Amino acid sequence: MAIFKLSPAFKDYIWGGTRLRDEYGKECDFDKVAESWELSCHKDGESVVTDGEDKGLTLSQYIQKHGKAVLGSDCERFESFPILIKLIDAKDNLSVQVHPDNDYALRVEGEYGKTEMWYVVDCDEGATLLYGFKKEISKEEFASRIADNTLLEVTNAVPVKKGDVFFIKSGTLHAIGKGILIAEIQQNSNTTYRIYDYGRVGKDGKPRELHVEKAKDVTKLAPAQSYPDTPLEELDGYTQKLLSSCDYFTTYVIDVESQAKLCADEKSFNSLLILEGCADIDGIKAKKGDSVFVTADSGCYTVSGKCRLILTKV
């Protein structure tokens, strides 16, 4: 059994804000802290063990040292670590974008595609995001609207509130809107095709690269398919709600009032991302913004305190 905290990798994309540093205690020198990669074995940014005898190892180094059994039997079907978990602070709008599926991404990009889930941790009043199209459109209309900058006329803008959930299957057009803080659980991929970017320029003063031809290949030109709502479970000392379950991850939001007895069986590790409050997880002190990893086959463990957390397993 092993339970330990992870420190994230950070990204300073131009649309980011400072909430992850100011409110979630992230130690980062960037002016903008757009994303913190809380659970990551991706080459573009790995999370690092922060305590215990393995302190300082990246998560992939930890897995290499202790063996893939720490991930659980349900991870054996994946060649590499299957998921990536982020906190995302959108002070400005993200680009309108799409992610490819596995077949396309492996053939064209050499890595897996990206299905993901968003949990709205917090948002400004009146905040919106883009989620698929208002109605089905043709490839010809898609191409012409990209060319003449009228794409936003047919995309589906959705008002959001704290606690909203969006399941974004690969091929779904989407964009996080300004004023939204999101926990994102996704496949372990960093492949994104930008379709529209509001005419912004990058740090080099040039317009940011678009990937229109690839986006035309993979975008589903129809309304998005949302994940069905699930009931809230009232349990002893806490409540639990399934947010989404797919081939790559299963995710719950858990509100702990006093304590929660959870379990990491032989099938999968547990990832705990603390969104509010503080907790003691079998002796590991965790606060708002902390990411905790529980190895597979650790058995039952107790989360004590008053907190809200995201629990993810494979």
Side-chain angles (χ1 to χ4, degrees), residues 42-101:
H42 198 280
K43 60 181 176 56
D44 292 341
E46 288 218 38
S47 42
V48 175
V49 179
T50 64
D51 44 37
E53 64 178 25
D54 295 305
K55 180 179 180 179
L57 294 184
T58 64
L59 184 55
S60 44
Q61 287 171 337
Y62 177 88
I63 295 165
Q64 187 174 21
K65 176 180 175 181
H66 294 278
K68 287 189 175 181
V70 300
L71 302 182
S73 58
D74 282 352
C75 289
E76 290 175 1
R77 68 183 187 272
F78 300 107
E79 290 181 26
S80 56
F81 192 75
I83 61 174
L84 200 164
I85 296 178
K86 305 174 180 176
L87 287 172
I88 301 175
D89 175 22
K91 186 175 177 63
D92 198 0
N93 294 317
L94 273 71
S95 60
V96 181
Q97 57 190 243
V98 69
H99 307 299
D101 63 16

Side-chain angles (χ1 to χ4, degrees), residues 62-219:
Y62 177 88
I63 295 165
Q64 187 174 21
K65 176 180 175 181
H66 294 278
K68 287 189 175 181
V70 300
L71 302 182
S73 58
D74 282 352
C75 289
E76 290 175 1
R77 68 183 187 272
F78 300 107
E79 290 181 26
S80 56
F81 192 75
I83 61 174
L84 200 164
I85 296 178
K86 305 174 180 176
L87 287 172
I88 301 175
D89 175 22
K91 186 175 177 63
D92 198 0
N93 294 317
L94 273 71
S95 60
V96 181
Q97 57 190 243
V98 69
H99 307 299
D101 63 16
N102 287 339
D103 289 343
Y104 188 94
L106 286 168
R107 176 166 51 85
V108 176
E109 307 294 344
E111 73 169 359
Y112 283 102
K114 186 172 169 184
T115 285
E116 62 192 5
M117 186 219 79
W118 291 342
Y119 178 84
V120 178
V121 179
D122 199 8
C123 61
D124 293 346
E125 188 173 349
T128 62
L129 54 76
L130 298 185
Y131 186 52
F133 292 85
K134 294 176 183 176
K135 61 182 179 64
E136 192 167 340
I137 66 171
S138 67
K139 287 187 175 182
E140 291 75 21
E141 182 177 357
F142 186 46
S144 65
R145 287 189 176 277
I146 292 172
D148 63 16
N149 287 327
T150 61
L151 182 64
L152 298 186
E153 294 178 9
V154 292
T155 55
N156 182 35
V158 183
V160 298
K161 64 183 185 303
K162 185 175 178 177
D164 282 349
V165 179
F166 295 87
F167 185 74
I168 302 159
K169 194 172 182 180
S170 58
T172 303
L173 176 144
H174 61 279
I176 302 173
K178 63 182 178 181
I180 303 176
L181 184 72
I182 273 178
E184 177 175 287
I185 292 83
Q186 59 161 90
Q187 281 182 267
N188 184 14
S189 171
N190 198 28
T191 295
T192 296
Y193 298 150
R194 288 193 202 107
I195 305 168
Y196 176 75
D197 196 38
Y198 305 93
R200 290 182 292 203
V201 296
K203 294 176 182 177
D204 59 1
K206 299 177 182 178
R208 296 204 301 168
E209 182 183 5
L210 300 180
H211 314 91
V212 172
E213 293 308 313
K214 290 178 178 179
K216 289 177 183 176
D217 289 341
V218 304
T219 304

Side-chain angles (χ1 to χ4, degrees), residues 2 39 68-78 81-83 248-252 262-271 293-299 301 311-314:
L39 179 70
K68 287 189 175 181
V70 300
L71 302 182
S73 58
D74 282 352
C75 289
E76 290 175 1
R77 68 183 187 272
F78 300 107
F81 192 75
I83 61 174
Y248 313 105
F249 51 80
T250 297
T251 303
Y252 301 86
L262 306 178
C263 187
D265 60 21
E266 74 283 353
K267 292 183 178 180
S268 175
F269 64 87
N270 285 191
S271 165
F293 190 87
V294 184
T295 57
D297 207 20
S298 287
Y301 59 96
L311 164 65
T312 303
K313 57 182 75 175
V314 173

Side-chain angles (χ1 to χ4, degrees), residues 292-309:
V292 179
F293 190 87
V294 184
T295 57
D297 207 20
S298 287
C300 292
Y301 59 96
T302 302
V303 179
S304 302
K306 186 174 176 63
C307 66
R308 171 173 291 173
L309 62 88

